[in-house]
Structure formats: C-alpha cells, structure tokens
Amino acid sequence: MNILRMLSRDISYIALPALAIGVAIAYINASGWLEKFAERIHLNLFMFVGAALFVYVIIVACVLMRAWRVANENPVESIKAD
C-alpha cells in the first residue's frame, strides 16, 4: 500500500501542474473562440475544473491498476517471458 501511495504522489507531481496549465489554456482558448459568435454564453470555470479532476482520476486509476497488477504478478513468469 505504501508503494502505491508513493506512486500516486509521484504521478500527482506531474499530473496536477499539467492539468492546471491545460485548464487555463483551454479556458482562455474557449473564451476567445466564443467571443467570435453573435450570441454569447458565459463559460463556467467549474466545468473545466471538473473535467480536469475526471482526467486526474483516470490517470491515477490507470497507474495504480497497472502497479497493482505488476506487484501481484509472479516474478518467475516475468523472468520466463524475457
């Protein structure tokens, strides 16, 4: 469990800043794109944050599922495969 916690923390160091930058760029681009239309709507920043949190959950889940599978794998089978 400690190894999985450490992996999720290490992934968070990379994923969270990347997601924050992505949300900012997406919000700015979407705002600029929507300004070109005659009818205007207001963008909700929480929609972008919610999408970023959803992507973060998917990232962490994929990493942890793969790490769990590798940790519970028989090492002899891994050596035979190489």
Side-chain angles (χ1 to χ4, degrees), residues 5-21 56 59-60:
R5 190 175 302 121
M6 190 178 358
L7 277 173
S8 66
R9 188 174 4 142
D10 289 344
I11 290 298
S12 295
Y13 290 147
I14 297 169
L16 290 177
L19 288 171
I21 291 169
Y56 177 71
I59 291 169
V60 171

Side-chain angles (χ1 to χ4, degrees), residues 4-57:
L4 294 177
R5 190 175 302 121
M6 190 178 358
L7 277 173
S8 66
R9 188 174 4 142
D10 289 344
I11 290 298
S12 295
Y13 290 147
I14 297 169
L16 290 177
L19 288 171
I21 291 169
V23 164
I25 290 172
Y27 184 77
I28 291 168
N29 283 340
S31 295
W33 182 66
L34 288 174
E35 285 178 2
K36 297 176 183 171
F37 289 98
E39 293 185 29
R40 305 235 167 118
I41 62 168
H42 296 286
L43 282 179
N44 190 357
L45 183 62
F46 294 113
M47 180 176 62
F48 291 94
V49 172
L53 288 176
F54 180 69
V55 170
Y56 177 71
V57 167

